[in-house]
Amino acid sequence: MRKRSWAEPYKIKMVEPVSMISQEEREKAIHEAGYNTFLLRSRDVYIDLLTDSGTSAMSDRQWAGMMLGDEAYAGSENFYHLEEAIRKHYGYKYIVPTHQGRAAEHIISQLLIKEDDFVPGNMYFTTTRLHQELAGGTFVDVIIDEAHDPENLHPFKADINLQKLEDLIKEKGADRIPYVTVSTSVNMAGGQPISMKNLKEVRALTNKYGIKIVHDMTRVAENAWFIKDREPGYENHTVAQIVHEICSLTDAATMSAKKDALVNIGGFLAVNDKELYDKACNLVVIYEGLHTYGGMAGRDMEALAIGITESIQEDHIRARVGQVQYLGEKIMGMGIPIVQPIGSHGVFLDAKRILPHLTQDKLPAQALAAALYVDAGIRGMERGVVSSGRDKKTGEHIYPKLELVRLTIPRRVYTQAHMDVVAESVEAVYENRSSVTGLAFEYEPEYLRFFQSRFRKL
Ligand code: F0G
């Protein structure tokens, strides 16, 4: 068959100039940032792949929606548009807007977790686990073992190991497990999807024991794309239908709308249980704002309502995930080890295999991210031992199997030519990998240390 390429389903209407500072200036900048890419100034960055969070380009329709902001303190029209979009596309009954995802995680954790509870999930996420711990719970990883192996080609590495989950329920008792966190497109595993088959089995198992499922739906549309692409029986479903079906198998959801939903700020908690909703409304006024705006401006709720609709369109999601695949295939073609299969929101460099001369206590992924910045001003982030933090009981570093540098692709922002430049820079760093030296902590904050830690070169 004749090859037919896809192209971005949009054209560019406004541009933001970017440029690269000199090698000398980059060396100075990363040194001053304590070798932590989070502490760089964005003006010193050429191609910013730190995160796909809040970095999307909004559409002309979303910008038009911003002009329709109803900034009433209570009962804003935009809240009702947002509620309608969530009910229609995700199917949850009640929603509480929050300023971003972690605020929704805070509220649900405080409402459902009691001291000494256990919260199983398909791999941890940094903020999610912390809120579970702050509420008195202990996170338990029940993802399949394949997820921890960067070379394993399992098509649904975010699947839950049902045996592990049931063993935990039997060991601790269902009354000490308030819910299971099911994330779609698991971030820390490299943007890997869960299959519908597995999710249905998790639903059946949790129903048997009367346990809720809370869905971290931050990247649900990306997960749905992989189901359409890989799971038998779903090839003729639309992404919109798959998204709806995923949500229908869960009881509540936390959303960082800064990813999938194409806005620069925002999130929400969605629930089906009216009593839980009433309690969430009561908590949100303490931490965020009134329940019809949470932590959001009216105009931002409007942009989000439109962004949700755009996020599940086939041509959008094909191009979104397609661009990530393009970069991943290019880097793989250079013989450089990355997490496979290539994920939905970024390419994850395998720092353990790239820098075998650095043991994990020398923070290889942190060092690799810094080296990449110095090479061509490309900013990625560490997703390894620094992100993993310390064991809350022993105080020791938690050494995860995956020691990765994430090159996260913002949505609708960069072109294929930017991806080529990124791949070339990764190749240059790879060729000089033996010269990359390890790092040691110089300053380490107590919570979510990867954001603000400073390091020195060994
Ligand atoms: N859940 C997942 C899966 C996430 O990726 C994030 C954020 C959150 C929850 C928290 O949401 O940032 O809106 O409070 N991830 C960002 C990232 C920070 O770069 O991966 P938030």
Side-chain angles (χ1 to χ4, degrees), residues 50-53 100-103 105 125 127-128 187 216 218-219 256 258-259 266 381 383 406 451:
L50 183 71
T51 175
D52 63 331
S53 181
Q100 53 184 79
R102 68 197 71 181
E105 293 168 352
F125 184 71
T127 57
T128 322
N187 195 352
D216 181 341
T218 298
R219 298 180 181 84
S256 170
K258 303 169 73 174
K259 283 83 166 173
M381 78 148 91
R383 291 272 86 150
R406 186 181 74 173
F451 283 128

Side-chain angles (χ1 to χ4, degrees), residues 126 135 249 254 271 276 354 376 427 437:
T126 53
L249 291 165
T254 55
V271 299
L276 188 60
I354 294 175
E427 188 175 39
T437 53

Side-chain angles (χ1 to χ4, degrees), residues 338-358:
I338 63 171
V339 174
Q340 290 191 63
I342 301 161
S344 71
H345 65 304
V347 175
F348 291 68
L349 305 176
D350 187 349
K352 267 192 194 166
R353 276 187 291 158
I354 294 175
L355 304 175
H357 59 289
L358 298 183

Side-chain angles (χ1 to χ4, degrees), residues 83 109 238 257 294 322 379 383:
E83 188 182 56
S109 301
T238 63
R379 168 156 74 171
R383 291 272 86 150

Side-chain angles (χ1 to χ4, degrees), residues 229-286:
D229 196 44
R230 298 177 187 166
E231 188 161 349
Y234 282 92
E235 43 293 81
N236 296 320
H237 285 55
T238 63
V239 165
Q241 287 167 334
I242 298 172
V243 165
H244 206 279
E245 187 176 346
I246 292 172
C247 296
S248 76
L249 291 165
T250 68
D251 301 293
T254 55
M255 173 63 146
S256 170
K258 303 169 73 174
K259 283 83 166 173
D260 240 15
L262 298 162
V263 288
N264 303 122
I265 191 74
F268 57 80
L269 172 66
V271 299
N272 289 330
D273 176 341
K274 176 70 166 56
E275 205 180 311
L276 188 60
Y277 169 67
D278 289 339
K279 287 185 185 159
C281 287
N282 202 210
L283 265 198
V284 80
V285 288
I286 308 174

